[in-house]
Amino acid sequence: SSTAEQPKATKAQTWRLAHIRPSGTRTDVDVHSFANEVAENTNGRINIEIYPNRELGDYTVVQERVSMGDVEMQLASMGTSVDRTLGIATCTYLVTNWDEARKIYNTKDGALAKYIAERLKKQNIKLLCVYPQYFGSIALAKEPVEPKNPNTPKNVKLRVPTMKHWDITANLLGFMTTPLPSSEIFTALQTGIVDGTIGGGAESYYVEYKELIKYLMPVKVHFETHWLYINQDVWDTLSPEDQKVIQEA
C-alpha cells in the first residue's frame, strides 16, 4: 500500500466561529474583518460564519465543542474546566503595563502564549493568535469605603470568577466575595446579591452592565486577552497555503 501523504483539502468549507461580545462591538467588527479576509484570500473556499454574544453557549462549553470539532473556531477568554493550569491566562498582577504584556502574550515568542498553545494542543486545539482587550478593573453598583486603601474593608460584596486566585485577590483588596459564573453577573447585580464584580474591564462592563454600574476602580488587576483558536483536525486538513492565509489574517 502507498505511504504517500494524502492531498490536503481544497474543497469549499463553511466554519462556525463563536465569540463572546455583542454584535457591533470592536471584537465583532474585527472578527468579521478576519472572516472576510480569509474568504477573499482563499477564493471563497473557506467561509466563516460569525456567532456573537455567546450564541453557541458559554465560552467554556464552546471550547470543549471546538476540541471535539462540533464548532470549528472560537475567540474568547480561556476556559479552565478541562485544564485548570490555563487559569494562568488571567493570573492577577502578572503584568503591569503594555510593554510587559506584549513581551509575554505575543503569539510569536511570548512565554505565556507558547504555554497556552502547548496546553491547548492536548485538547486538540490549535492556537492562532492572542487578541488583547484591556487591563482589568473592578465595577461597582455601590461606593466602596476608602477605595485607594487596600487595607480598609470596603463593605462591598464582589462577584469573583470561580477560580481561587480571584477570591484571594479580592479579599486582599478589602472585598467580601461570592464566586459566580459570568452568565449570572447581571442578575446578581440587579437583585443585590453582589454589589460589584471583578474579572472584567471597563469595555466589557460598559457593554454588558452600564445601567447597573456607578463606579469603576481601574486597579489593573489582570491583563485580559481573548484567544483565537481552531479545531486541530480541521487545521490539519488545510493546505499550507490556506494555513498561511488564516495565520496572516
Side-chain angles (χ1 to χ4, degrees), residues 86-132:
L86 292 173
I88 196 172
T90 53
C91 186
T92 51
Y93 298 112
L94 190 63
V95 295
T96 61
N97 57 57
W98 280 91
D99 287 339
E100 291 175 4
R102 287 188 183 95
K103 184 176 180 179
I104 72 165
Y105 281 90
N106 85 80
T107 320
K108 184 178 179 181
D109 57 13
L112 186 68
K114 288 168 73 174
Y115 177 79
I116 297 293
E118 289 167 6
R119 301 301 298 186
L120 285 178
K121 193 170 184 179
K122 296 178 184 294
Q123 296 183 40
N124 198 40
I125 293 172
K126 161 76 175 174
L127 177 65
L128 294 173
C129 79
V130 184
Y131 182 83

Side-chain angles (χ1 to χ4, degrees), residues 8-17 31-50 72-73 128 230 234-247 249:
K8 298 292 186 179
T10 56
K11 66 178 181 179
Q13 302 184 58
T14 299
W15 299 343
R16 294 189 293 175
L17 193 167
V31 167
H32 277 88
S33 176
F34 164 75
N36 291 339
E37 185 174 332
V38 170
E40 181 179 343
N41 291 332
T42 61
N43 298 315
R45 287 192 310 280
I46 299 175
N47 176 49
I48 301 174
E49 296 176 344
I50 311 300
E72 287 79 14
M73 303 181 74
L128 294 173
I230 184 170
V234 172
W235 178 257
D236 290 342
T237 67
L238 299 175
S239 66
E241 293 76 21
D242 285 350
Q243 289 180 349
K244 184 178 180 184
V245 164
I246 292 166
Q247 195 70 77

Side-chain angles (χ1 to χ4, degrees), residues 139-142 185-191 195 205 208-215:
L140 301 163
K142 175 182 175 182
I185 296 174
F186 188 93
T187 302
L189 285 168
Q190 194 175 43
T191 57
D195 308 304
Y205 296 147
E208 300 190 41
Y209 320 118
K210 58 180 176 286
E211 60 267 50
L212 301 174
I213 294 300
K214 296 181 180 179
Y215 304 94

Side-chain angles (χ1 to χ4, degrees), residues 136-141 156-161 166 170 175 178 180-182 184-186 188-189 194-201 204-205 209 213 215-217 221:
S137 52
I138 297 172
L140 301 163
V156 170
K157 181 170 281 188
L158 276 191
R159 167 269 172 183
V160 296
W166 285 105
F175 293 94
T178 298
L180 290 171
S182 59
E184 297 181 23
I185 296 174
F186 188 93
L189 285 168
V194 297
D195 308 304
T197 181
I198 191 172
S204 65
Y205 296 147
Y209 320 118
I213 294 300
Y215 304 94
L216 188 78
M217 291 177 62
V221 72

